[in-house]
Structure formats: structure tokens, C-alpha cells
Amino acid sequence: LQLFWRHAPQSPDLSRIMTDYRSRLLEDGAKAVRMEKTQGWHGLINDTAGGSSRFGRYLKTSERLVFSLLKRPKEFVSELAEALQEFNKSVHTCPICFHFTIEEGVPCEICNDGKRDAATLAVVADSLDLLALETTEFNGLYHVLGGTINPLQGTPPEDLRIKELLERINQSTGEEIGFKEIILAFDPTQDGELTALHIKRSLEGLPIKMTRLGRGLPQGGDLDYADEITLREALRGRREA
């Protein structure tokens, strides 16, 4: 946390984000003091589910999955475990964009598609975000970081694929068709903001356009139910009628 805090005076946005992080850290510390370590079978369930540090927002879903498996016959659980092991062996990571692929050491279908826009690169946190963008008209390439910077959960930039991203972008600058635009496609959260600011600083000086996903009111939403941040971003992103 102190590593990022030293840079906060250089950026009002980063200073605001780190202030929020510090408040959250104090709140989490107070909760930890009030709560004793979980014992017995419930603690075993939490350990099996992986804990919040591994699943994050999916912790509740993982707990439901564990309880559902407890109701199943042991033979079913054994077969499921074998199937998951086989699945884990058959799925690999693309050596270029780090999306999932079925062949080890071979680029994924997206990276091998010569019809895609090789001048536009969308940087996403995980493959779920990549698949979400694939449902749109986006036709560029991707780079999967493997998460976002989160000091509270012990995820520094070094744990992500930011180094590989910078190497990929620097390498493209010397090519005939290099990256012309980098889209920082992160969730509009504190972690996403911090990750975007870190990458933006790392790419300063390069002749590449950097953009963020547009924000604002959802289709069919009510103006009077929108929060202050959403309204502010909607005003900033207004366009000609």
C-alpha cells in the first residue's frame, strides 16, 4: 500500500483511490479484530471454498457449490473431481494474449485470426471480460492481465501480466502494423481505476492512443435513480444529438 501511496501526490485520481483503500483497510482490520478464527466444520467449508482472498466476489457462489456437493453421492463427487482434473490438463494459456486455448504453446483463435484489427488492443482483467467484449462489434486483439491491482488482497502489479503487456506494446512499435490504440477495458471500480492509472503511467511517452470504456446511464435506466458518479461520467461522455 505504501508503494502506491508515495505516488499519490502526483495524481489527484490516484490520491482519491488510495484514500478509499486506506479507509477500507482500516475497516477490514476492525472486522478482523472483532471476529475470531472460524473453527470446526464451517471453517473446513470456507477453506474448501477457497476463502475471499481467492474467490473474491464469487465466495458466496463457491460456498453454495460446496454445500450442493455435500448433498450429492460420493461417487458423483469423485467423477466430478476426475473430470475437473482432465479439464485442467486440456486447457492451456495463449502465449500471446493469455486467453485460454486447447493447445499448449499455440496461439488462440483470436490471435491467429488475420481478419481482426491488429492496430487495436483491448486490455482486460480476465477472460470473462474478453468474452463479454466479444459479444459486441469489437474486432481488435486482447491482452488478459489475470486480475487487477488490489493492495488489500495482496495483488501488486508484479503479480499481473503487465510486464508482458509492456513488452508486447514496445515490440509492436517497431512493426509496420503496430498498435495505434490501447483500450483499458476494466470494471469501473477502485481496483480497475488503479490498474488503469498504473498502465497509463507505464506507457507515457509512447505514440499510442489510450482510451477507456465509456460510462454513463444504462439503456432503459431512470435518471433520478442514478448515483452521483454515474451522472458525472454521463455528462463527461455526452455526445452530439
Side-chain angles (χ1 to χ4, degrees):
L1 183 63
Q2 295 299 329
L3 175 63
F4 297 107
W5 188 255
R6 287 200 298 267
H7 299 284
Q10 303 177 18
S11 171
D13 292 334
L14 185 57
S15 179
R16 171 181 54 80
I17 293 171
M18 296 311 297
T19 299
D20 293 339
Y21 266 121
R22 175 172 288 183
S23 299
R24 288 169 56 189
L25 186 60
L26 292 175
E27 292 176 1
D28 290 346
K31 291 179 181 178
V33 172
R34 292 193 301 266
M35 295 177 61
E36 297 181 356
K37 186 177 180 180
T38 307
Q39 301 291 336
W41 66 272
H42 191 262
L44 178 61
I45 293 296
N46 284 338
D47 292 340
T48 304
S52 59
S53 61
R54 184 179 303 173
F55 280 86
R57 58 181 175 176
Y58 304 111
L59 177 61
K60 285 296 181 182
T61 302
S62 61
E63 286 180 343
R64 294 189 183 98
L65 173 61
V66 172
F67 277 105
S68 176
L69 292 177
L70 289 175
K71 301 176 183 178
R72 300 276 186 160
K74 293 186 180 298
E75 294 77 11
F76 172 83
V77 178
S78 298
E79 292 177 0
L80 177 61
E82 293 177 1
L84 289 175
Q85 289 179 351
E86 186 63 28
F87 173 77
N88 186 48
K89 295 178 182 178
S90 61
V91 177
H92 305 280
T93 303
C94 174
I96 298 178
C97 71
F98 301 99
H99 182 41
F100 294 121
T101 181
I102 59 175
E103 296 186 54
E104 185 175 6
V106 179
C108 65
E109 294 182 357
I110 295 178
C111 292
N112 273 332
D113 190 353
K115 297 181 180 180
R116 300 189 74 97
D117 180 11
T120 306
L121 181 68
V123 184
V124 296
D126 52 42
S127 290
L128 286 176
D129 296 336
L130 182 153
L131 295 176
L133 288 179
E134 279 294 281
T135 62
T136 68
E137 68 273 8
F138 180 74
N139 194 41
L141 300 177
Y142 297 94
H143 186 91
V144 182
L145 290 183
T148 53
I149 299 174
N150 190 325
L152 291 181
Q153 294 186 1
T155 308
E158 294 76 17
D159 287 357
L160 305 178
R161 301 186 185 103
I162 296 180
K163 178 182 178 182
E164 291 82 354
L165 170 65
L166 300 180
E167 291 176 352
R168 186 179 178 186
I169 294 176
N170 288 326
Q171 183 180 359
S172 74
T173 56
E175 299 176 354
E176 183 177 352
I177 302 179
F179 295 126
K180 301 297 188 298
E181 180 181 2
I182 306 296
I183 303 175
L184 303 177
F186 301 121
D187 293 339
T189 60
Q190 293 175 341
D191 300 342
E193 292 287 343
L194 186 59
T195 305
L197 284 171
H198 180 84
I199 294 177
K200 183 178 179 181
R201 284 186 172 184
S202 301
L203 296 177
E204 285 182 353
L206 293 179
I208 299 178
K209 179 182 179 181
M210 281 184 288
T211 58
R212 297 288 307 274
L213 293 179
R215 305 178 190 174
L217 298 171
Q219 184 69 28
D222 294 329
L223 191 66
D224 54 338
Y225 284 107
D227 59 90
E228 180 182 351
I229 296 178
T230 300
L231 287 174
R232 183 168 64 245
E233 294 295 337
L235 286 173
R236 290 178 179 175
R238 62 186 183 278
R239 58 186 179 183
E240 185 175 350

